[in-house]
Amino acid sequence: MDKILEVKDLVVGYKGKNGFVRAVDGVSFDINKGETICIVGESGSGKSVTSMSIMRLVEFENGKILDGEISFKGESLTTKKADEMRQIRGSKISMIFQEPLTALNPVFTIGKQISEAILFHHKIGKEEAWKEAEKLVRLVGISDPVGRLKQYPHELSGGMRQRVMIAMALASEPELLIADEPTTALDVTIEAQILELLRNLREEKKMSIMLITHDIGVAAEMANRIIIMYAGKIMEIANTFDIFEQPLHPYTKGLLESVPKMDGQRGVPLKSINGSIPSLNEIPEGCRFSPRCPFATEKCHQEAPALETRGNRQVACWHVDYLLEHSLLDVEEEG
Ligand code: ATP
Ligand code: MG
């Protein structure tokens, strides 16, 4: 399969009092052409830092890519100069964020902002760009495009604003769309609509999508493959079907058990994973998940397991074989 993005041994740090703390620590994965990959993990696991590194945006908030390699269609992004990176950012790779209001300019109409995005990428006239903006707005499922383009961001609902952001991200006809929690600020019905829109666009535009979410249920609906991240490291990578059929990492099992079942009885309390994600200054020795892991042994507390390949999946856990043999990774239905 054609790889569009390759990330290898990525280490990203932020300057602290005692040098750099590592928000992402040795992460490797790739994305195939036309594939949707979801990165799932609790808050603080390094999902956003990973995506901002691909866009080389970490440098703007005193972060630094300390090690590793990111390449897009075989071309290194890590060594690109700032102006070369500007060419790629927002054109071949586009990104949409969680809160669309902060990303839109309040003093310009929607039409002006989308057509500016189009003009930035295409050598056409203003009028033609406005027509293109109408097409894009229609494509993302906004009715009355002519009227909508004359409105200002504050006149639109959250869901509409997110659609506008998606339209702007599409203006450059990107080959890779990175969406960082694009639906977390929206209510569930609007969330479902936006996810459906992304699925349709993926079919129509044959884009690759990297979707970041803390909700493994969203990943189930969207992803071809799922990457499970915890405290700056990847715990598991597998096809979506395989992850749900049989998680291989205790953390994945924990995430799956904290999801309400669609047909689940209401009022049944959800299980949650004990404890919380460590701060970057207190990363535990050994496996980072070991302090919260019900199966951790002495070895887990001392030595970090590498992400190892098993068939077509990858997992970082010392005890996969034992846990599998004793059915300890089977997801327990709540209730
Ligand atoms: P969330 O689900 O809350 O968005 P996340 O998985 O996206 O979480 P990141 O934002 O990638 O988490 O953060 C990973 C770690 O990096 C966190 O511990 C965070 O505090 C740290 N971090 C992120 N940005 C900065 C920054 N600008 N300066 C210092 N530390 C940062
Ligand atoms: Mg984030």
Side-chain angles (χ1 to χ4, degrees):
M1 236 184 284
D2 257 1
K3 283 179 188 162
I4 189 157
L5 187 85
E6 287 181 85
V7 176
K8 212 168 165 344
D9 304 322
L10 179 68
V11 179
V12 186
Y14 283 97
K15 241 198 177 106
K17 270 179 247 134
N18 311 308
F20 281 100
V21 288
R22 294 171 163 213
V24 166
D25 196 1
V27 157
S28 302
F29 65 93
D30 46 47
I31 304 179
N32 295 316
K33 207 162 182 256
E35 183 180 41
T36 299
I37 212 148
C38 281
I39 303 189
V40 183
E42 287 164 289
S43 188
S45 50
K47 307 182 297 295
S48 294
V49 172
T50 302
S51 62
M52 302 232 300
S53 307
I54 297 169
M55 297 292 271
R56 290 266 306 274
L57 292 170
V58 282
E59 288 128 84
F60 293 100
E61 19 177 81
N62 98 84
K64 195 171 179 209
I65 296 178
L66 297 173
D67 206 354
E69 181 53 43
I70 302 170
S71 55
F72 177 71
K73 296 171 78 180
E75 239 185 284
S76 169
L77 296 184
T78 10
T79 53
K80 285 235 182 292
K81 295 199 189 74
D83 60 327
E84 293 173 317
M85 205 48 222
R86 213 172 300 131
Q87 295 286 322
I88 292 179
R89 203 185 294 133
S91 64
K92 290 176 184 162
I93 310 177
S94 278
M95 188 157 175
I96 48 177
F97 299 90
Q98 183 172 335
E99 195 11 272
L101 196 53
T102 52
L104 288 167
N105 191 328
V107 302
F108 295 121
T109 61
I110 299 304
K112 171 134 177 98
Q113 295 185 60
I114 301 178
S115 56
E116 288 288 329
I118 294 168
L119 284 169
F120 188 80
H121 297 288
H122 298 93
K123 288 193 169 53
I124 54 174
K126 275 192 177 166
E127 243 168 79
E128 208 181 329
W130 197 275
K131 285 277 169 240
E132 285 300 316
E134 271 178 31
K135 275 193 218 159
L136 274 181
V137 164
R138 193 172 290 119
L139 179 72
V140 297
I142 298 180
S143 50
D144 181 27
V146 179
R148 287 293 187 187
L149 287 188
K150 293 184 197 135
Q151 290 187 308
Y152 289 86
H154 72 267
E155 297 179 81
L156 304 182
S157 66
M160 279 295 165
R161 284 198 288 263
Q162 195 53 291
R163 284 176 196 269
V164 169
M165 285 314 299
I166 296 172
M168 281 175 66
L170 294 176
S172 62
E173 296 164 13
E175 293 170 67
L176 174 64
L177 179 69
I178 301 177
D180 190 352
E181 311 252 14
T183 59
T184 349
L186 307 173
D187 67 48
V188 281
T189 41
I190 309 295
E191 169 172 61
Q193 290 169 11
I194 297 287
L195 294 177
E196 195 192 336
L197 168 65
L198 287 175
R199 275 196 300 266
N200 293 342
L201 288 172
R202 171 180 65 194
E203 296 305 315
E204 203 162 315
K205 302 276 176 193
K206 305 276 178 263
M207 281 184 302
S208 305
I209 298 179
M210 176 171 142
L211 177 68
I212 290 166
T213 173
H214 57 262
D215 184 345
I216 200 162
V218 167
E221 280 180 50
M222 298 294 294
N224 300 109
R225 277 190 303 150
I226 296 179
I227 296 175
I228 306 284
M229 249 186 119
Y230 183 79
K233 282 205 179 283
I234 293 178
M235 300 285 124
E236 178 167 5
I237 305 181
N239 289 327
T240 306
F241 179 85
D242 294 337
I243 287 249
F244 281 82
E245 179 86 350
Q246 177 65 71
L248 293 185
H249 198 286
Y251 181 55
T252 314
K253 171 180 148 97
L255 287 176
L256 288 169
E257 284 175 349
S258 60
V259 178
K261 300 281 174 306
M262 289 306 270
D263 54 355
Q265 311 94 309
R266 276 166 180 264
V268 178
L270 294 176
K271 257 171 94 166
S272 69
I273 308 170
N274 288 331
S276 57
I277 202 160
S279 92
L280 296 182
N281 302 309
E282 304 165 332
I283 295 289
E285 292 282 308
C287 171
R288 292 175 182 204
F289 186 59
S290 63
R292 298 173 72 187
C293 182
F295 311 116
T297 61
E298 211 35 52
K299 183 177 187 173
C300 306
H301 295 304
Q302 283 163 4
E303 244 181 285
L307 189 68
E308 281 183 0
T309 303
R310 287 176 74 96
N312 62 350
R313 24 196 325 188
Q314 286 169 287
V315 62
C317 173
W318 290 121
H319 299 306
V320 197
D321 290 313
Y322 176 87
L323 296 174
L324 277 176
E325 209 174 295
H326 294 82
S327 305
L328 291 168
L329 290 168
D330 294 1
V331 174
E332 286 169 37
E333 305 282 331
E334 81 263 13

